[in-house]
Amino acid sequence: MESTNTQKSTAAAARPLSNAQVFHFFEQMHALMTAGITPFEALRVMHDNADNAALEPVLRSIAEQISTGARFSDALAGTGVFPSYVIELMNIGEW
């Protein structure tokens, strides 16, 4: 795997996600976590099965940040592709 700095810059260079892509991301996270998979493992599964190559560095970046202890909302914000309302909703849910 690449270094974390390279992953963040690659993820940050990605285009903002559409509402449909945000919905799909959380729909997949929900399904995997409902099945008992941890958020970190869910991100790895989503990365390994990504049908959009542009999302691979985003998913990798989120997983890396979470593995180092970052909050989920901070990991999402660090990618630069999630809308601000998503970051704020996740932040509220973490408190």
Side-chain angles (χ1 to χ4, degrees):
M1 279 198 171
E2 301 173 23
S3 71
T4 303
N5 289 340
T6 303
Q7 290 170 0
K8 287 181 185 177
S9 64
T10 302
R15 298 178 62 187
L17 298 179
S18 68
N19 286 335
Q21 289 172 312
V22 170
F23 176 79
H24 185 67
F25 172 83
F26 284 108
E27 183 179 47
Q28 287 183 323
M29 286 294 292
H30 171 75
L32 292 167
M33 291 175 64
T34 299
I37 297 172
T38 66
F40 179 76
E41 283 301 316
L43 289 164
R44 303 285 277 181
V45 168
M46 290 167 59
H47 173 269
D48 293 346
N49 295 297
D51 56 355
N52 181 343
L55 288 180
E56 289 180 15
V58 171
L59 294 167
R60 185 181 317 117
S61 175
I62 297 168
E64 287 290 325
Q65 290 180 60
I66 289 174
S67 73
T68 62
R71 293 182 337 169
F72 195 73
S73 61
D74 292 336
L76 294 181
T79 67
V81 299
F82 285 90
S84 60
Y85 76 88
V86 171
I87 308 304
E88 291 303 318
L89 286 171
M90 292 306 301
N91 189 31
I92 290 168
E94 290 171 332
W95 293 102

